[in-house]
């Protein structure tokens, strides 16, 4: 099977930023432009959730927890979709996957890209 290819994940401190990319395989580049595209994520031990959507006309939608922090965009000439993530929180940790609604409905997924956000920690002081 041919899958969309995600990249750009990594390890980042809370408050940091990452930009994910999703590249169309050659097999669907001719049909890319009219497609609605989506980013999903799956945190450890949790179900996959839809994070953001962008239509063929550029209309966007986000889940409440990422509004104001994430921006989804697409470059139809490059057949690529992006997810700019800022002010990252530890709860944003997960495997991020891109897809089309039809492929998602058919349970057709790529490998995704791992995003790990680590906290800033807390100071512990021990007095003698």
């Amino acid at each position: 099977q041919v899958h969309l290819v995600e990249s750009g994940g990594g390890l980042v401190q809370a408050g940091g930023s990452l930009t994910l990319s999703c590249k169309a395989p050659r097999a669907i580049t001719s049909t890319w432009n009219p497609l609605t595209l989506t980013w999903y994520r799956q945190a450890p031990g949790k179900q996959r959730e839809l994070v953001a959507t962008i239509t063929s006309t550029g209309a966007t939608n986000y889940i409440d927890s990422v509004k104001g922090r994430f921006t989804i965009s697409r470059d139809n000439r490059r057949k690529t979709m992006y997810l700019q993530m800022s002010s990252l929180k530890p709860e944003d940790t997960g495997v991020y996957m891109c897809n089309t609604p039809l492929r998602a409905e058919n349970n057709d997924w790529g490998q995704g890209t791992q995003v790990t956000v680590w906290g800033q920690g807390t100071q512990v002081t021990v007095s003698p």
Side-chain angles (χ1 to χ4, degrees), residues 19-123:
T19 297
L20 308 183
S21 298
C22 171
K23 181 73 175 177
R26 186 179 298 274
I28 69 168
T29 53
S30 62
T31 59
W32 177 264
N33 289 3
L35 292 174
T36 290
L37 304 169
T38 55
W39 281 103
Y40 297 79
R41 69 184 177 191
Q42 186 163 19
K46 295 187 176 181
Q47 287 191 331
R48 185 183 296 124
E49 65 175 345
L50 192 154
V51 175
T53 300
I54 185 166
T55 68
S56 60
T57 59
T60 59
N61 195 31
Y62 304 89
I63 56 173
D64 287 344
S65 61
V66 307
K67 284 181 181 177
R69 300 189 298 120
F70 289 13
T71 301
I72 188 172
S73 61
R74 63 193 294 168
D75 184 335
N76 287 338
R77 186 171 61 87
R78 290 187 169 87
K79 310 303 181 189
T80 303
M81 175 176 64
Y82 304 96
L83 186 67
Q84 295 173 277
M85 306 184 295
S86 61
S87 302
L88 283 162
K89 304 175 181 180
E91 52 264 41
D92 294 318
T93 292
V95 177
Y96 283 69
M97 295 159 279
C98 61
N99 220 337
T100 66
L102 179 60
R103 285 173 173 246
E105 190 175 318
N106 291 334
N107 203 29
D108 181 3
W109 297 95
Q111 290 188 330
T113 185
Q114 176 70 45
V115 172
T116 303
V117 185
W118 53 285
Q120 294 177 327
T122 183
Q123 177 68 45

